[in-house]
Amino acid sequence: MASTTGPEIERLIQLLAKLPGLGPRSARRAALHLVKKREQLLAPLSDAMQVARDKIIVCECCGNIDTISPCTLCADSRRETAVLVVVEDVADLWALERAGATSGRYHVLGGVLSALDGIGPKDLSLDRLLARVAEGGVSEVILALNATVDGQTTAHYITDLLSPYGVTVTKLAHGVPVGGELDYLDEGTLTAAMRQRTAV
Ligand SMILES: [Zn+2]
């Protein structure tokens, strides 16, 4: 396909097209918008990305992303240490935080078990989860995993792993629709699902 722009803009478009939710066509529009709004948008965005690249790190405790480790949530002494909320991804943590659904602490798995995608237990932060529970002080582990087949398979797997530790394991209530991903739920649904969680 013949290019209508120089290689610099073409590269910008190609990179933007890798973002979730942006296809080649919307990436082209976004790139054009950025270039037109060079001072108002392109420059501050470029600066913000540079700062993100330099400063953002993964919390060594919970797997959240922040500029400090332990992250702001892990370091917050007002949060309950007895409750550990296990999520697939940072996006799910953000969704639960937006909803104010829990005052517990989090553990980000970094994915879910998936035979199809070749993701096994070693690919998830399960060792660290067990280490956190083994340290003591945790009385309940809430499995806030997506209501997908892989999410539920992972929930069963973790429930088995945790059985020797004598902690209560719960999962979100049926407010989470089958196949539902937490990030797409409204805040009321999320909060209700958390409040009505059930033992597994
Ligand atoms: Zn953390």
Side-chain angles (χ1 to χ4, degrees):
M1 195 171 68
S3 174
T4 52
T5 56
E8 296 81 6
I9 296 180
E10 208 49 51
R11 176 155 170 75
L12 181 61
I13 294 168
Q14 280 170 12
L15 289 170
L16 287 169
K18 292 182 194 290
L19 294 175
L22 283 193
R25 194 185 157 91
S26 38
R28 199 162 282 278
R29 285 174 54 197
L32 185 58
H33 188 72
L34 285 169
V35 173
K36 280 183 183 168
K37 304 268 179 190
R38 190 189 174 102
E39 291 310 317
Q40 305 99 305
L41 200 54
L42 183 57
L45 180 67
S46 161
D47 291 347
M49 286 176 136
Q50 182 72 47
V51 170
R53 178 183 162 168
D54 292 345
K55 298 252 170 88
I56 291 178
I57 49 174
V58 174
C59 174
E60 63 204 9
C61 180
C62 74
N64 186 18
I65 57 171
D66 203 334
T67 52
I68 50 170
S69 177
C71 71
T72 309
L73 292 176
C74 283
D76 186 348
S77 60
R78 291 165 301 179
R79 298 194 76 104
E80 283 178 73
T81 47
V83 177
L84 203 52
V85 183
V86 176
V87 293
E88 175 180 340
D89 193 76
V90 174
D92 301 322
L93 183 162
W94 286 351
L96 290 166
E97 276 301 293
R98 274 201 308 275
T102 177
S103 59
R105 294 182 190 223
Y106 292 95
H107 190 85
V108 180
L109 288 177
V112 281
L113 299 174
S114 169
L116 207 61
D117 297 329
I119 299 172
K122 287 271 167 284
D123 300 309
L124 309 180
S125 64
L126 293 168
D127 289 346
R128 211 166 65 231
L129 172 64
L130 295 183
R132 290 180 77 184
V133 173
E135 273 172 23
V138 176
S139 60
E140 180 181 2
V141 173
I142 303 174
L143 302 174
L145 298 172
N146 294 326
T148 55
V149 172
D150 288 342
Q152 295 312 298
T153 303
T154 309
H156 287 302
Y157 187 83
I158 295 176
T159 304
D160 287 346
L161 281 184
L162 289 173
S163 63
Y165 293 87
V167 290
T168 304
V169 182
T170 56
K171 60 176 185 174
L172 296 188
H174 296 297
V176 178
V178 173
E181 300 198 16
L182 301 190
D183 194 22
Y184 292 96
L185 294 180
D186 69 87
E187 287 151 23
T189 306
L190 262 182
T191 309
M194 181 64 83
R195 213 181 303 120
Q196 297 156 19
R197 64 186 181 271
T198 53
V200 281

